[in-house]
Amino acid sequence: MKVLVIGGVAAGTKAAAKIKRQNRSAEVKILTQSADISYAGCGLPYYVGGMIESREELIVNTPEKYTGLTGVEVVTRCEVTSVNFQAKTVTALCQGQTWLESYDKLVIATGATPFVPQVEGIRLPGVFTMRTPDDAIALRAYVQDRHCRSAVVVGAGFIGLEIAENLQAQGLAVTVIDAADQILPKIFDPEMAGYARRRLRQNGIRVLTGTPLSEITGTERADGVLAGGSRIGADLVVLAIGIRPATTFLDGSGLAMEKGVIVVDEMMRTNIPDVYAAGDCALVRNQQTHQPQWSAMGSTANITARALACTMTGTETPYGGCLGTGVVRLGEGFNAGRTGLTEAQAREAGYEPVTVVCASDDKAHYYPGSSFFMTKLIADRSTHQLLGIQVLGSAVDKMVDIAVTGIAAGLTLEAFNSLDYSYAPPFSTAIHPFVQACLVLENKLSGAMTSMPPADYAAGAAKDYQVVDVLPKPTIAGAKWVDLAQVNGPVEGLDRDAKLLLVCNRGRRAYLLQNRLRHFGYTQTVVLEGGVTMNEVKVQFAGAAIPPDEIKRVKGLGCLQDKRYPDCFNVRVITRNGKITSEEQRKIAEAAELFGTGEVTMTTRLTLEVQGVPYANLDALMTFLNDAGLETGGTGSKVRPVVSCKGTTCQYGLIDTFQLSQKLHDLFYIGYHDVVLPHKFKLAVGGCPNNCVKPNLNDLGIVGQRIPEINMAKCRGCQVCQIEKTCPIGAAKLVDGKLQIDADLCNHCGRCVSKCPFKAIEESTYGYKVYIGGRWGKKVAEGKPLSRIFTSEEEVLALVERAILFYRDEGITGERFADTIARLGFDYVEDKLLNGSIDKDSILKKTVVGGAKC
């Protein structure tokens, strides 16, 4: 028997190897278009991020190694151009020559190719897809060679989000766009996708949905995209929009296909005798709905290829169908997994789905590193049969895999309750988190708990409810706080017949309160599923009713109350060192018109303030700005937004202040955004000693320097010295006929360089002077310069981090950095910053209470 396999990645190599093991006398040959076989396609994003270091690690087998292990012949760089099913022959183009190959049985495992939209700029350098090792290698090399700092990823599916995480790991600012109105479309229900999107944003990845790609911009190479009516600048673009089956060579051949995907039965047989298909080019069945489903997953490819091989060699092995199982890493310690039907799919399939969103610990809560799962379970209301799961958290695969087994076996929720799952504090909870989710849904089905799903809350279902805060301490502004431990009867301020929405951190305390309140005669209590962790809970205020705690909270988000009005705020928009794009300018102006008075003011810290925003508009304004890649803030006991002068665009500028301040912004305003300091910490960068932005009046100021170097051999001692004449501060003098520069007077402005006609000063060193301990405000203090002149950006960035860490470690709550320096002594602080040991990890683990009031 001669078996020909077209395609040599997951399904092709799996099928060929198994066929050869089942029938050692069979002649098995693989024809593959690539130079590689059996590569780790799912590992490509992690090569981009550097977790997989070398190309060799991506290649599971070389052709030679594979042939030696299996006995299968492999022909690489061989593109099959047509198949004659009547003659049982395949025509291929192999290394420039046409090749005709016969077969007894044929396996088509050609996989899929990336979908590339036909928009302008699609073929510019800097535009990448992600399907082969060469794609990943080219992308990583481009990032490194061109020192890329920003990227746009088009597509918010599994691959797109994995690429985004790994590009961020390489230090890039990443924007993900998708034409759909949510991330992970058709994979996760909207509320779960919304929670994942918020977490991505918190991790620094910008996510724009409802934003279709219309153009890739650039001339010599890609420099951004036009999408959703706006331009987004970027150093590179990755297309992860989707894939298409690689089957165009089979068009018109008589092989049954749907939208290019090969139709197969449960034995992976096509409509043509002796022809089979598996992998990303084959259409399988959904195990629950029994409808055709394209399952372009490496797991499906391997499973179906093995079953195909067994069937082909005499042991009929049907494939039971897929469940749409998938798992994706979204960031450090945060992953997403799912299997089965979504709520919408279950309804479409004829079920009456009932759902619950709940949180459960992923291991014993007291064990180091413990976290939680946010789980959505879907079951059939009448039978309680498990239909699907979506879960966000750490080790989500264990939750998903239990659900896979349960769905495949047709189990009800109750069937899981007494299963003997493994338990020890480092691994799980005594009642498994999956079982906990089942129990919560069972309580909802039985009526023991009445709850509101996040989707209903987001749609406005709680409009007529009084919000009851059940967190351990008052947290939800405007809500009635109830101390759960003290509820032993009716609660003052809560009407027994009122509609009460009970809200806690994740849902458990709210359920406990509901249980007690029911006992005391409360008739309309509803638990908000997922609590404030899952939902963005807001209590609307009217006019002057906004309480001080809420004013303080929104102030921390950059919203400063306009004292002329009881419910209006001026919202501070961070401009990243004072430079923003024209598109961002337009978005800020549009935001001012939509949500405020239409006015925008500038602050002394080079931020912009949208004026007169009513309290009710704050959330919408901040969402609008976030979608444009902008953010509000700039308050609190932390590193504040960086200010910068014009730098090299000024005639006196000595350093690229925008470049340096952008790095400071990324590393310390963004990178240290969650690091609490004893007080605010302000950074400023000046391009020269003119000090236009007053760097020495900041906690840490950086000033560009140009240090002249005299070539005494070329000094002629001219009667009128051009250097002496040029020096603006009189540091250069002729002494005994030779030029001298007073080091104590020279401010390193560099204006004397190249002014001598005899080239006595042609050489100079560019550098940075650093001031520490400055401030303006109630107690103005001028910073003092460190004794060193730094000659590289790397030295300056390292020093800034050391200063922030030192301040966090040795500062006292409420004192500015200037106060810390005055208390400890400048010499001590300078020695510590320049020479001392600073343990970053231990300092960041400290608990620090901030003292900034604004």
Side-chain angles (χ1 to χ4, degrees):
M1 178 177 69
K2 181 178 180 180
V3 180
L4 200 60
V5 179
I6 308 175
V9 190
T13 54
K14 172 63 74 174
K18 183 62 176 175
I19 291 167
K20 193 68 175 178
R21 289 198 301 273
Q22 294 286 96
N23 182 356
R24 196 66 192 169
S25 63
E27 180 187 348
V28 185
K29 180 183 287 189
I30 292 175
L31 306 181
T32 183
Q33 188 172 353
S34 172
D36 299 305
I37 67 164
S38 194
Y39 55 78
C42 298
L44 300 181
Y46 303 101
Y47 175 86
V48 173
M51 294 186 67
I52 298 172
E53 294 184 1
S54 67
R55 185 186 195 279
E56 288 68 30
E57 293 176 86
L58 291 172
I59 309 302
V60 179
N61 272 311
T62 63
E64 297 76 18
K65 182 180 176 182
Y66 177 83
T67 297
L69 289 170
T70 65
V72 175
E73 183 182 351
V74 179
V75 182
T76 60
R77 301 186 187 278
C78 184
E79 180 185 1
V80 174
T81 56
S82 65
V83 181
N84 186 328
F85 293 119
Q86 288 73 34
K88 287 193 170 184
T89 58
V90 165
T91 302
L93 188 64
C94 298
Q95 299 177 2
Q97 296 186 349
T98 301
W99 189 341
L100 190 68
E101 188 79 36
S102 64
Y103 67 84
D104 296 317
K105 294 183 184 293
L106 179 67
V107 177
I108 303 173
T110 46
T113 58
F115 171 67
V116 178
Q118 296 307 303
V119 298
E120 188 174 344
I122 202 71
R123 304 205 180 279
L124 284 169
V127 180
F128 298 88
T129 57
M130 193 53 47
R131 190 67 184 172
T132 70
D134 289 342
D135 294 334
I137 290 161
L139 175 54
R140 192 165 94 177
Y142 193 89
V143 169
Q144 294 170 347
D145 293 346
R146 295 194 174 272
H147 306 288
C148 295
R149 295 178 56 197
S150 60
V152 168
V153 177
V154 185
F158 282 168
I159 297 298
L161 295 180
E162 287 175 338
I163 285 291
E165 184 217 350
N166 281 280
L167 286 172
Q168 187 188 48
Q170 291 281 35
L172 278 72
V174 182
T175 299
V176 178
I177 65 172
D178 200 293
D181 58 3
Q182 67 170 73
I183 68 170
L184 302 168
K186 300 181 181 179
I187 303 173
F188 282 76
D189 284 317
E191 70 274 29
M192 298 297 283
Y195 175 60
R197 177 182 178 178
R198 291 196 298 275
R199 287 290 299 268
L200 287 169
R201 277 181 170 173
Q202 291 168 10
N203 291 341
I205 294 177
R206 180 186 180 196
V207 181
L208 304 178
T209 54
T211 308
L213 173 70
S214 55
E215 181 183 336
I216 296 174
T217 62
T219 52
E220 295 182 359
R221 58 180 178 270
D223 62 13
V225 301
L226 290 179
S230 298
R231 183 180 180 277
I232 305 167
D235 296 327
L236 63 92
V237 177
V238 180
L239 301 175
I241 302 172
I243 56 175
R244 298 291 183 268
T247 57
T248 54
F249 71 99
L250 295 168
D251 290 345
S253 68
L255 190 69
M257 295 189 288
E258 290 186 14
K259 296 181 178 179
V261 191
I262 301 169
V263 177
V264 295
D265 64 13
E266 62 180 0
M267 299 297 178
M268 308 309 294
R269 295 177 295 219
T270 70
N271 65 309
I272 305 293
D274 296 323
V275 178
Y276 299 74
D280 291 356
C281 63
L283 191 66
V284 295
R285 293 289 185 273
N286 182 282
Q287 190 175 146
Q288 292 173 279
T289 66
H290 309 295
Q291 296 300 308
Q293 181 165 326
W294 190 27
S295 180
M297 302 289 287
S299 51
T300 303
N302 277 273
I303 295 166
T304 55
R306 189 182 190 282
L308 174 160
C310 292
T311 295
M312 183 184 288
T313 52
T315 305
E316 289 205 343
T317 306
Y319 173 61
C322 67
L323 292 174
T325 307
V327 64
V328 60
R329 173 175 158 144
L330 300 178
E332 187 65 36
F334 184 65
N335 310 299
R338 57 93 62 214
T339 194
L341 304 176
T342 65
E343 183 176 358
Q345 290 165 349
R347 193 168 288 111
E348 291 170 5
Y351 294 101
E352 184 184 359
V354 60
T355 72
V356 76
V357 174
C358 61
S360 51
D361 294 331
D362 62 354
K363 56 179 67 70
H365 68 276
Y366 53 81
Y367 191 82
S370 65
S371 185
F372 66 92
F373 296 118
M374 189 63 74
T375 303
K376 179 173 183 177
L377 279 186
I378 301 112
D380 180 60
R381 185 177 294 277
S382 60
T383 65
H384 295 194
Q385 182 181 353
L386 178 65
L387 299 177
I389 188 174
Q390 298 160 45
V391 57
L392 302 163
S394 52
V396 297
D397 54 316
K398 73 177 182 181
M399 298 282 281
V400 171
D401 288 345
I402 291 171
V404 167
T405 304
I407 293 170
L411 299 184
T412 63
L413 297 171
E414 292 80 3
F416 295 96
N417 293 355
S418 58
L419 294 183
D420 192 11
Y421 290 117
S422 57
Y423 162 64
F427 302 101
S428 187
T429 50
I431 296 179
H432 195 280
F434 183 89
V435 177
Q436 290 182 41
C438 291
L439 294 172
V440 175
L441 185 48
E442 290 167 35
N443 283 341
K444 183 173 180 177
L445 282 163
S446 71
M449 179 185 77
T450 302
S451 62
M452 182 180 292
D456 291 357
Y457 179 77
K463 181 180 179 181
D464 298 328
Y465 282 78
Q466 178 183 355
V467 178
V468 179
D469 181 350
V470 199
L471 281 95
K473 59 182 180 180
T475 303
I476 304 171
K480 166 70 175 177
W481 180 66
V482 172
D483 185 351
L484 176 63
Q486 302 301 316
V487 176
N488 295 306
V491 178
E492 183 179 352
L494 296 184
D495 190 303
R496 290 185 180 182
D497 294 321
K499 291 182 175 180
L500 304 177
L501 184 69
L502 312 182
V503 186
C504 64
N505 190 26
R506 299 173 190 165
R508 183 172 180 272
R509 290 174 62 89
Y511 166 62
L512 296 176
L513 179 61
Q514 182 181 69
N515 184 268
R516 294 191 191 185
L517 291 179
R518 281 180 170 179
H519 178 72
F520 296 120
Y522 289 82
T523 59
Q524 297 193 77
T525 61
V526 175
V527 172
L528 180 60
E529 296 175 12
V532 295
T533 302
M534 185 71 187
N535 303 274
E536 295 180 289
V537 179
K538 291 286 294 181
V539 178
Q540 296 300 323
F541 300 97
I546 303 174
D549 283 349
E550 178 63 1
I551 293 174
K552 180 179 179 181
R553 184 189 73 84
V554 298
K555 188 176 186 181
L557 300 174
C559 308
L560 310 176
Q561 188 178 28
D562 187 329
K563 294 181 174 61
R564 297 172 296 173
Y565 309 103
D567 66 341
C568 282
F569 293 79
N570 301 327
V571 182
R572 188 175 296 172
V573 186
I574 305 304
T575 63
R576 305 183 310 276
N577 67 28
K579 183 170 72 171
I580 57 176
T581 66
S582 58
E583 179 59 30
E584 289 170 332
Q585 288 271 26
R586 283 190 286 270
K587 287 295 184 181
I588 294 170
E590 186 179 351
E593 292 176 349
L594 288 172
F595 307 106
T597 63
E599 297 173 310
V600 180
T601 62
M602 291 171 284
T603 75
T604 55
R605 294 294 295 179
L606 302 185
T607 62
L608 297 176
E609 281 187 359
V610 177
Q611 298 292 292
V613 181
Y615 174 82
N617 289 353
L618 291 181
D619 281 348
L621 168 69
M622 287 187 276
T623 299
F624 180 88
L625 292 171
N626 287 340
D627 286 345
L630 296 160
E631 61 177 324
T632 64
T635 57
S637 298
K638 55 185 67 177
V639 177
R640 295 298 181 85
V642 184
V643 296
S644 165
C645 73
K646 295 190 298 179
T648 49
T649 65
C650 166
Q651 62 174 323
Y652 301 123
L654 300 174
I655 60 172
D656 187 344
T657 54
F658 282 136
Q659 174 178 286
L660 178 56
S661 58
Q662 180 69 54
K663 290 180 180 178
L664 291 166
H665 175 88
D666 293 342
L667 289 171
F668 304 117
Y669 177 72
I670 294 176
Y672 272 51
H673 202 62
D674 295 326
V675 177
V676 176
L677 302 175
H679 208 289
K680 68 186 77 171
F681 193 91
K682 296 182 176 181
L683 296 166
V685 184
C688 74
N690 281 343
N691 292 345
C692 295
V693 294
K694 305 296 185 289
N696 60 336
L697 293 181
N698 286 261
D699 296 277
L700 191 146
I702 301 162
V703 178
Q705 303 278 280
R706 192 177 187 186
I707 307 163
E709 299 174 9
I710 305 173
N711 185 339
M712 298 304 295
K714 294 184 177 182
C715 177
R716 303 287 182 87
C718 302
Q719 187 173 2
V720 179
C721 175
Q722 295 302 314
I723 301 300
E724 182 177 0
K725 184 178 177 180
T726 301
C727 181
I729 58 173
K733 299 281 186 183
L734 280 181
V735 178
D736 297 330
K738 287 294 182 179
L739 177 65
Q740 292 187 11
I741 296 177
D742 188 332
D744 292 330
L745 285 179
C746 181
N747 66 359
H748 304 150
C749 69
R751 295 191 204 175
C752 62
V753 177
S754 298
K755 295 298 190 295
C756 173
F758 302 105
K759 302 187 184 304
I761 298 184
E762 291 294 308
E763 302 292 329
S764 64
T765 300
Y766 284 93
Y768 310 81
K769 180 185 285 188
V770 176
Y771 291 84
I772 60 172
R775 68 172 170 214
W776 51 26
K778 296 174 185 176
K779 294 173 61 179
V780 176
E782 187 171 343
K784 187 175 178 180
L786 298 177
S787 57
R788 274 188 58 192
I789 297 296
F790 299 88
T791 57
S792 72
E793 275 192 0
E794 290 72 21
E795 288 182 303
V796 172
L797 294 172
L799 177 77
V800 172
E801 183 169 42
R802 289 174 67 83
I804 294 168
L805 292 169
F806 170 83
Y807 179 42
R808 188 173 204 270
D809 190 33
E810 301 203 30
I812 298 173
T813 296
E815 70 176 11
R816 292 291 297 272
F817 193 34
D819 302 322
T820 304
I821 295 170
R823 176 170 54 82
L824 298 175
F826 180 85
D827 291 342
Y828 170 81
V829 176
E830 179 180 47
D831 183 62
K832 191 78 172 180
L833 296 182
L834 298 182
N835 307 308
S837 174
I838 294 179
D839 187 341
K840 177 178 177 178
D841 291 338
S842 65
I843 293 173
L844 290 178
K845 289 177 182 177
K846 286 183 61 174
T847 299
V848 173
V849 177
K853 300 295 190 295
C854 62

